[in-house]
């Protein structure tokens, strides 16, 4: 994360520079997330039908798909907010099973950002960020608060540290949520529709932070509807529909030359 | 963004934007006649309602005043028996202890008001309006009450004075304001001054040999007016000290220690000051202190090790072992103190891994354990030591002090118990959930009176040999169990209002279930539960009056059964009941007011 500089000054281009990242060769990188035949049911309804995918270290994967396609369910299975019933999920060499210690280990290495921010409303912004490092990572209070301040600077809102989340705009809240997840020094970051609950003028500030994070080499899995972000930042795009992975490919391939009919239909609806 | 800026300018021309220096429109201030017309006589139906309600108020006021100022009323009954109402049979020569306790509470109040910055600025005209309203009320009362001619005139004179001063004050500029605290002190000061000046009558109860009651003209007894004046001065001085300390101590430290003081002071006052225990130093030195030292030292070492993050799984096994040892201690003959200490240590051990951290965190944890051990050790010794206060009857306090005491201890016990029950009922573990649900549903299905009678009559029969529980303690435990079941339901409401997203966010950063509960769920749940909890605190305070059924000498019992049986005040029940309802009302209303303040204040943080 050393090469992340001033976030607010970074420009978000819409269509330029997209190919710059998709050309990266990550085939020799370590596997961070391995899913094999992951299935999940809610009662009789099958939300995931045998999802298999491997995500490499430093890779940025964007998951696209119509609503109800199982994107969020899948990403939430990866840190066990949802329990999968069949198949195998291995995160950084640790298999997710019912063993509580494994779950805690995975969770402290996987950061998650939610659609609704889910900041702790009774704690100041600084305490939101430093709480978990103090009690989960067992850092000293001073150290954790120093780190919190540095992270808030990284996401561009150091001056809001003494406010309560309710006093912040949506975009600022989501940036605090990113700082909170980063405070645990995770190896993987999961984003579950991070901009869907934001007003249009605040989406950019959050996407900028995410882009810088991607540039710094973080392994990221992003569920989003922001096509610009997907085009520009993603190494790979996974398209899902009805609980299945329909198509996987680089942004170039996905947006210009999709093979599956369902992908074409989706793109025509989105980009129309 | 440039094209949007252009669009904004266009919209601006259609909808005139407010000038940046625009002030809000001045609030319309209606003259009294217009106001009456708008609010009370806007149409025929409204006018009829106003007239009917006005007539109803007049009739009720007339009835009430007729009751109060009836020459047959024996208001002396409460004036003479104030000491009986407040402390029942507490010995008069030990009354310095009571005043000491009152002073301790007033000091805490003064400090708290300063530290929490209670009180606000009130515009002077508003004060004038209040005084005017009071003047109107006194005029109305003077006209309605069954007074003789001269009495009516003097009341009317008071009313005219109030009206005149109120109206003149309300004409002053709106910019001038006065602090509500200085107003309060002013009113209390005037009340204290009136004790020295106005001849309320000199009432005293002389209980030498043949009890007789003295009611002579003149100002009140010195034993009343002197202490109350000193109390007022102490409260003001404490506020001053609080102001000085406020800027020198970090707010968090000051507030935490004050909350702790509010919890510990009643216990210390009761067992150390009021009860005046006759400590057997030989026993204390040979048994109590050694037991305390063993647990303090070994417990500290154990907890310091347990809160080390590197301890890991072995720590949990050790903690569970301590818990089993604690349960096992109840199967073997040994001192109750040791069992209690074992249980406490088990709880601290189990919580240890949750609060593990760096060296400083661990030191704090051990310090909390040592402090708890000191307090528990002292409390158990004090409870087991006989009192030196020579008092007839089974308990040394009665009247209002007993009401307060039972309410305090009930809340003190039921609060943690209720929170634990609520957590158990919402937990994922079926055994806890089942036990908590059964307990809550059982207790809620049984009337409070049944529980109180059960605990006063039956529980002493079940106790093991050699263990003695006073009736007051037994009943308080029963009442606390009852209150905790209701409290648990209120807290459960709060817990369920914490969204799923909060749980997920806490889990996603790797918190354990207990950390999530302590740091995320409970703070939010209790905040949501403040209004019902305050309602319950008020209810608990008022329902202590059910103690009368068991025959404990609480405020209601003194007022209903003791004073009306004195030869001088035969049948003065109604007067006494009116006075104690006033006492109950004042306390409940101030609690309600305080809770509104708290709600407002906690609400602020969330916006």
């Amino acid at each position: 994360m050393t090469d992340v500089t001033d976030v607010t000054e970074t420009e978000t281009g819409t269509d330029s520079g997209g190919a710059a990242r998709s050309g990266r060769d990550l085939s020799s990188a370590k596997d961070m997330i391995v899913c094999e035949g992951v299935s999940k049911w809610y009662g009789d309804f099958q939300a995931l039908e045998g999802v298999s995918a491997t995500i490499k270290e430093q890779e940025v994967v964007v998951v696209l798909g119509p609503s109800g396609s199982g994107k969020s369910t899948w990403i939430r299975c990866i840190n066990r907010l949802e329990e999968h019933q069949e198949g195998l999920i291995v995160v950084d060499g640790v298999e997710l099973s019912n063993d509580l210690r494994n779950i805690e280990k995975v969770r402290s290495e996987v950061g998650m950002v939610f659609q609704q921010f889910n900041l702790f409303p009774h704690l100041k912004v600084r305490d939101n960020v430093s709480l978990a490092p103090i009690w989960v990572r067992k850092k000293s209070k001073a150290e954790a608060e120093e780190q919190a301040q540095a992270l808030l600077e990284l996401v561009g809102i150091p001056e809001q540290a003494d406010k309560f989340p309710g006093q912040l705009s949506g975009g600022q809240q989501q940036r605090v949520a990113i700082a909170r997840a980063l405070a645990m020094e995770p190896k993987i970051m999961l984003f579950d529709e991070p901009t869907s609950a934001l007003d249009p003028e605040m989406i950019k500030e959050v996407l900028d932070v995410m882009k810088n994070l991607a540039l710094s080499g973080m392994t990221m899995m992003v569920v989003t509807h922001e096509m610009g972000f997907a085009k520009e930042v993603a190494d790979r795009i996974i398209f899902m529909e009805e609980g299945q992975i329909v198509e996987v490919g680089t942004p170039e391939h996905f947006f210009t030359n999709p093979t599956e009919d369902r992908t074409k239909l989706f793109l025509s609806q989105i980009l129309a | 963004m440039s094209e949007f800026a252009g669009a904004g300018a266009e919209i601006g021309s259609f909808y005139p934007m407010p000038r940046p220096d625009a002030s809000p429109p001045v609030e319309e201030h209606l003259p009294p006649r217009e106001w009456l017309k708008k609010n009370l006589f806007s149409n025929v139906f409204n006018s009829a309602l106003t007239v009917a309600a006005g007539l109803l108020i007049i009739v009720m006021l007339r009835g009430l005043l007729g009751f109060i100022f009836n020459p047959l009323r024996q208001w002396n009954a409460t004036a003479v028996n104030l000491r009986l109402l407040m402390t029942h049979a507490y010995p008069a020569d030990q009354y310095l202890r009571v005043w000491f306790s009152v002073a301790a509470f007033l000091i805490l109040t003064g400090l708290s008001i300063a530290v929490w910055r209670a009180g606000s600025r009130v515009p002077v005209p508003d004060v004038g309006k209040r005084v005017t309203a009071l003047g109107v009320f006194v005029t109305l009362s003077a006209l309605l009450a069954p007074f003789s001619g001269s009495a009516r005139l003097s009341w009317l004179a008071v009313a005219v004075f109030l009206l005149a001063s109120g109206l003149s004050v309300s004409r002053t500029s709106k910019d001038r304001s006065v602090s509500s605290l200085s107003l309060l002190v002013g009113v209390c000061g005037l009340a204290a001054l009136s004790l020295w000046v106005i001849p309320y009558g000199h009432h005293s109860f002389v209980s030498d040999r043949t009890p007789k009651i003295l009611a002579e003209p003149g100002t009140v007894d010195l034993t009343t007016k002197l202490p109350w004046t000193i109390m007022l001065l102490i409260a003001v001085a404490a506020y001053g000290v609080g102001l000085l300390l406020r800027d020198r101590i970090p707010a968090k430290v000051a507030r935490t220690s004050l909350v702790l003081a509010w919890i510990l002071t009643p216990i210390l006052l009761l067992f150390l000051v009021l009860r005046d225990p006759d400590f057997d130093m030989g026993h204390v030195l040979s048994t109590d202190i050694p037991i305390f030292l063993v647990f303090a030292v070994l417990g500290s070492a154990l907890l310091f090790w347990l809160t080390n993050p590197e301890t890991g799984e072995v720590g949990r096994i050790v903690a569970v072992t301590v818990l089993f040892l604690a349960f096992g201690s109840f199967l073997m003959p040994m001192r109750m103190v040791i069992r209690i200490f074992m249980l406490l240590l088990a709880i601290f051990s189990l919580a240890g891994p949750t609060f593990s951290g760096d060296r400083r965190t661990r030191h704090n944890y051990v310090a909390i354990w040592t402090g708890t051990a000191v307090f528990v050790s002292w409390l158990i010794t004090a409870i087991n030591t006989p009192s030196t206060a020579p008092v007839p009857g089974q308990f040394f306090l009665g009247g209002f002090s007993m009401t307060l005491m039972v309410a305090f201890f009930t809340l003190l016990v039921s609060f943690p118990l209720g929170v634990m029950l609520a957590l158990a009922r919402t937990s994922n573990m079926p055994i806890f959930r089942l036990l908590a649900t059964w307990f809550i549903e059982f207790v809620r299905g049984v009337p409070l009176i049944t529980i109180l009678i059960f605990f006063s009559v039956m529980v002493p029969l079940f106790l093991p040999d050699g263990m003695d529980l006073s009736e007051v303690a037994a009943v308080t435990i029963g009442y606390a169990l009852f209150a905790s079941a209701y409290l648990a339901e209120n807290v459960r409401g709060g817990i369920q209002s914490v969204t799923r997203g909060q749980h997920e966010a806490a889990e996603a950063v790797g918190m354990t279930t207990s950390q999530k509960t302590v740091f995320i769920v409970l703070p939010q749940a209790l905040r949501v539960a403040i209004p019902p909890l305050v309602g319950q605190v008020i209810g608990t305070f008022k329902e202590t009056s059910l103690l009368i059924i068991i025959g404990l000498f609480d405020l209601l019992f003194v007022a209903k059964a003791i004073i009306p049986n004195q030869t001088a005040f035969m049948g003065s029940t109604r007067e006494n009941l009116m006075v104690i309802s006033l006492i109950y009302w004042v306390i409940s209303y101030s609690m309600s007011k305080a809770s509104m303040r708290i709600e407002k204040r906690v609400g602020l943080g969330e916006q």
Side-chain angles (χ1 to χ4, degrees), chain A:
Chain A
M1 273 194 298
T2 43
D3 53 353
V4 178
T5 48
D6 194 353
V7 173
T8 46
E9 278 177 20
T10 319
E11 281 290 313
T12 316
T14 41
D15 49 4
S16 65
R21 285 182 61 81
S22 49
R24 283 203 295 174
D25 181 23
L26 290 164
S27 56
S28 61
K30 176 170 112 172
D31 292 349
M32 283 305 271
I33 304 173
V34 179
C35 295
E36 270 173 32
V38 176
S39 294
K40 168 154 186 77
W41 286 262
Y42 291 112
D44 287 337
F45 173 73
Q46 188 166 8
L48 293 177
E49 297 178 24
V51 172
S52 299
T54 302
I55 290 157
K56 302 273 186 189
E57 192 169 16
Q58 300 212 347
E59 192 177 18
V60 177
V61 173
V62 170
V63 184
L64 295 178
S67 56
S69 58
K71 315 175 296 264
S72 288
T73 308
W74 182 30
I75 203 172
R76 288 155 62 84
C77 278
I78 289 171
N79 67 349
R80 197 67 168 195
L81 289 180
E82 305 279 353
E83 209 170 309
H84 61 283
Q85 283 128 348
E86 272 176 19
L88 181 80
I89 299 180
V90 180
V91 179
D92 195 23
V94 181
E95 197 201 328
L96 277 178
S97 58
N98 278 324
D99 190 334
L100 263 177
R101 270 167 299 175
N102 280 357
I103 296 175
E104 276 169 25
K105 188 157 189 276
V106 165
R107 279 179 180 164
S108 63
E109 286 183 7
V110 179
M112 175 121 183
V113 175
F114 300 88
Q115 181 179 0
Q116 299 292 342
F117 330 134
N118 293 344
L119 293 179
F120 306 132
H122 60 296
L123 296 177
K124 285 182 179 166
V125 164
R126 178 185 293 117
D127 299 328
N128 259 284
V129 180
S130 66
L131 185 72
I134 292 176
W135 296 107
V136 180
R137 284 266 186 255
K138 309 294 182 193
K139 284 189 179 174
S140 77
K141 199 168 180 241
E143 196 186 341
E145 289 193 343
E146 201 176 312
Q147 181 205 20
Q149 195 61 39
L151 283 170
L152 288 176
E153 223 148 288
L154 185 77
V155 297
I157 41 174
E159 73 284 355
Q160 312 285 5
D162 284 313
K163 286 193 184 163
F164 284 95
Q167 296 165 310
L168 268 52
S169 73
Q172 291 172 327
Q173 289 195 44
Q174 193 60 296
R175 287 190 275 163
V176 174
I178 294 175
R180 177 177 69 181
L182 290 177
M184 288 297 287
E185 290 157 13
K187 293 182 179 163
I188 304 165
M189 285 284 282
L190 307 176
F191 293 84
D192 186 4
E193 306 205 17
T195 54
S196 301
L198 294 176
D199 290 339
E201 74 268 23
M202 292 169 185
I203 291 178
K204 181 176 171 292
E205 62 190 47
V206 172
L207 289 183
D208 282 346
V209 170
M210 289 167 62
K211 202 161 66 177
N212 279 320
L213 200 59
L215 288 173
S216 74
M218 176 68 76
T219 313
M220 287 166 64
M221 197 168 159
V222 185
V223 172
T224 187
H225 295 291
E226 294 298 323
M227 295 302 148
F229 179 82
K231 249 185 214 171
E232 188 186 352
V233 183
D235 291 304
R236 251 192 318 160
I237 289 179
I238 297 178
F239 176 69
M240 283 183 83
E241 196 172 24
E242 290 175 350
Q244 290 168 327
I245 292 181
V246 175
E247 186 160 2
V248 182
T250 61
E252 249 179 336
H253 160 83
F254 186 82
F255 285 107
T256 52
N257 191 17
T259 42
E260 298 287 326
D261 288 341
R262 283 191 281 180
T263 316
K264 285 176 193 161
L265 181 68
F266 173 75
L267 283 174
S268 69
Q269 284 166 343
I270 287 277
L271 302 173

